[in-house]
């Protein structure tokens, strides 16, 4: 996957992108990276024609979606609901000991149950009421510029297909379980929701280098961030909170090596992101939730866009 991403991130031409003035100026279909229609050979769903068909169908629906219209309801199959239910059950066993307090608080707002895979539309309505955020469906991993820019308009791009059933404990790419269990709860937290918007605002009109740095900051916090709490290290990153394999690994080093924890300095050069090689080897650790918020805000403000 990493190869595909690297190739696609090397911008095809030096075209200058217009700075979006509203969410309507951002396309959810023009710049989909990797994972999209074509699955790489090492993807668990590569040999599964049914799976590929289902994903394209769901992805095509996302491309047709217009801002302001309700997100289409998907009728999930029993197989898909079972994957969701298994993941939810495993994760809810780990959350009390592995998830940060803020997440535990917002998670319970949603009353997720194993036998029903929630619809993005109803989750978007909850977010709209609580923090003014909306969800927009997307076919796959969006180019970082579009993805980050949309955060400025309190819009979160979310996939709607589910991961392949052969490896429910971990997937390298976003899927609907990652979005719903990883991202949506914390977007209902007013402080977190504001910080996410601030990252987005900093990305409007940002140079390629600035976008890269913001993407890494996003990656090491919103996706894989950890925070100190009285009884130990807890996860607030969505990539951890949606993967019971990685969530366990974060604390136990299950698969043979203990991860390293490092303090986050948003002004320092951050390590290369690891999309492909499984669990992260290093996590960035923050003192508290408000420490994360003030660090990200300080960096975003330093770009002087707002
Ligand atoms: N590894 C995560 C999971 O299995 O849910 C997804 C990460 C997406 C960046
Ligand atoms: Fe994510």
């Amino acid at each position: 996957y990493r190869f595909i991403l690297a190739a696609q991130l090397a911008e095809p031409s030096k075209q200058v992108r217009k700075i979006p003035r509203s969410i309507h100026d951002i396309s959810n279909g023009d710049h989909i990276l990797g994972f999209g229609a074509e699955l790489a050979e090492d993807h668990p769903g590569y040999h599964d024609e049914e799976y590929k068909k289902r994903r394209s169908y769901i992805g095509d629906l996302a491309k047709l979606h217009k801002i302001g219209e309700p997100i289409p309801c998907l009728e999930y199959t029993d197989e898909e609901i079972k994957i969701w239910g298994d993941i939810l059950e495993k994760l809810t066993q780990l959350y009390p000991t592995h998830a940060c307090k803020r997440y535990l608080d917002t998670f319970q707002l949603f009353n997720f149950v194993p036998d029903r895979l929630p619809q993005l539309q109803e989750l978007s309505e909850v977010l709209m009421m609580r923090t003014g955020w909306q969800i927009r469906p997307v076919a796959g991993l969006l180019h970082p510029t579009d993805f980050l820019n949309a955060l400025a308009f309190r819009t979160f791009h979310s996939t709607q297909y589910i991961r392949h059933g052969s490896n429910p404990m971990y997937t390298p790419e976003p899927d609907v379980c990652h979005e719903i269990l990883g991202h949506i709860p914390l977007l209902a937290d007013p402080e977190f929701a504001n910080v996410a918007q601030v990252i987005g605002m900093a990305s409007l009109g940002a140079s390629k280098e600035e976008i890269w740095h913001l993407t890494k900051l996003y990656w090491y916090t919103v996706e894989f961030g950890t925070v100190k709490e009285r009884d130990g290290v807890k996860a607030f990153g969505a990539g951890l909170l949606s993967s019971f394999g990685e969530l366990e690994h974060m604390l136990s080093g299950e698969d043979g090596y203990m991860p390293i924890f490092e303090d986050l300095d948003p002004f320092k050069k951050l390590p290369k992101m690891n999309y492909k090689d499984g669990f992260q080897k290093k996590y960035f650790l923050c003192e508290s939730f408000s420490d994360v918020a003030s660090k990200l805000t300080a960096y975003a403000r330093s770009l002087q866009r707002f």
Side-chain angles (χ1 to χ4, degrees):
Y1 310 124
R2 200 171 39 194
F3 175 74
I4 296 176
L5 283 170
Q8 292 184 340
L9 278 170
E11 300 250 353
S13 67
K14 283 231 174 75
Q15 51 181 323
V16 181
R17 287 216 205 166
K18 261 181 67 189
I19 301 174
R21 291 168 159 265
S22 84
I23 189 63
H24 299 278
D25 294 337
I26 301 172
S27 159
N28 75 338
D30 289 350
H31 309 108
I32 305 283
L33 306 179
F35 309 122
E38 298 302 322
L39 295 185
E41 244 172 278
D42 53 347
H43 189 284
Y46 181 74
H47 295 291
D48 188 338
E49 287 307 322
E50 277 294 299
Y51 180 77
K52 288 204 269 193
K53 248 175 53 198
R54 177 75 172 150
R55 258 176 87 121
S56 313
Y57 167 73
I58 296 176
D60 289 346
L61 277 182
K63 286 181 195 154
L64 291 173
H65 178 261
K66 300 263 176 305
I67 286 285
E69 287 174 0
I71 303 170
C73 259
L74 275 188
E75 213 173 295
Y76 287 107
T77 64
D78 289 347
E79 202 185 331
E80 288 170 329
I81 296 169
K82 171 126 188 2
I83 299 171
W84 154 264
D86 287 350
I87 291 173
L88 180 67
E89 280 186 335
K90 289 264 183 13
L91 283 172
T92 38
Q93 287 170 19
L94 291 176
Y95 287 155
T97 45
H98 289 62
C100 73
K101 170 86 175 53
R102 287 289 182 104
Y103 179 84
L104 295 176
D105 289 346
T106 46
F107 178 78
Q108 48 93 15
L109 293 173
F110 292 88
N111 296 317
F112 297 132
V113 287
D115 55 9
R116 187 172 169 276
L117 212 170
Q119 296 293 336
L120 294 184
Q121 176 58 26
E122 71 202 35
L123 300 174
S124 189
E125 284 166 20
V126 175
L127 292 184
M128 186 52 83
M129 266 183 323
R130 296 197 68 94
T131 54
W133 275 70
Q134 65 180 341
I135 298 172
R136 186 192 206 185
V138 68
L141 201 63
L142 200 57
H143 189 287
T145 304
D146 296 330
F147 184 83
L148 293 173
N149 281 181
L151 302 178
F153 307 106
R154 291 175 101 83
T155 303
F156 190 82
H157 281 91
S158 167
T159 54
Q160 209 172 2
Y161 59 81
I162 199 160
R163 65 192 62 190
H164 194 260
S166 59
N167 193 12
M169 55 108 80
Y170 176 88
T171 164
E173 55 172 340
D175 77 326
V176 74
C177 295
H178 167 70
E179 319 287 13
I180 296 181
L181 296 168
H183 289 291
I184 306 295
L186 279 173
L187 285 171
D189 177 286
E191 188 179 22
F192 184 88
N194 287 344
V195 176
Q197 182 179 22
V198 157
I199 301 180
M201 285 157 71
S203 80
L204 294 176
S207 68
K208 220 166 144 185
E209 290 70 32
E210 288 166 339
I211 290 288
W212 261 121
H213 190 70
L214 285 165
T215 303
K216 285 180 175 178
L217 261 187
Y218 180 90
W219 183 259
Y220 289 114
T221 56
V222 178
E223 292 294 353
F224 291 101
T226 61
V227 58
K228 280 183 207 160
E229 284 186 2
R230 233 172 301 161
D231 53 339
V233 173
K234 307 283 166 163
F236 71 89
L240 286 163
L241 292 165
S242 66
S243 163
F244 56 89
E246 182 146 5
L247 199 52
E248 239 171 4
H249 156 83
M250 171 191 93
L251 287 189
S252 66
E254 256 330 70
D255 52 333
Y257 59 93
M258 269 313 282
I260 301 165
F261 290 90
E262 194 178 306
D263 290 342
L264 179 72
D265 179 351
F267 291 91
K268 268 207 198 137
K269 191 171 161 54
L270 293 162
K272 245 171 100 173
M273 291 174 288
N274 166 22
Y275 283 99
K276 190 194 168 185
D277 305 331
F279 305 153
Q280 305 290 307
K281 298 191 171 50
K282 183 191 273 182
Y283 299 102
F284 284 89
L285 186 59
C286 291
E287 288 300 319
S288 63
F289 212 79
S290 54
D291 177 40
V292 184
S294 58
K295 277 180 170 157
L296 290 178
T297 308
Y299 177 76
R301 283 198 186 287
S302 76
L303 299 183
Q304 300 194 323
R305 295 225 159 71
F306 56 93

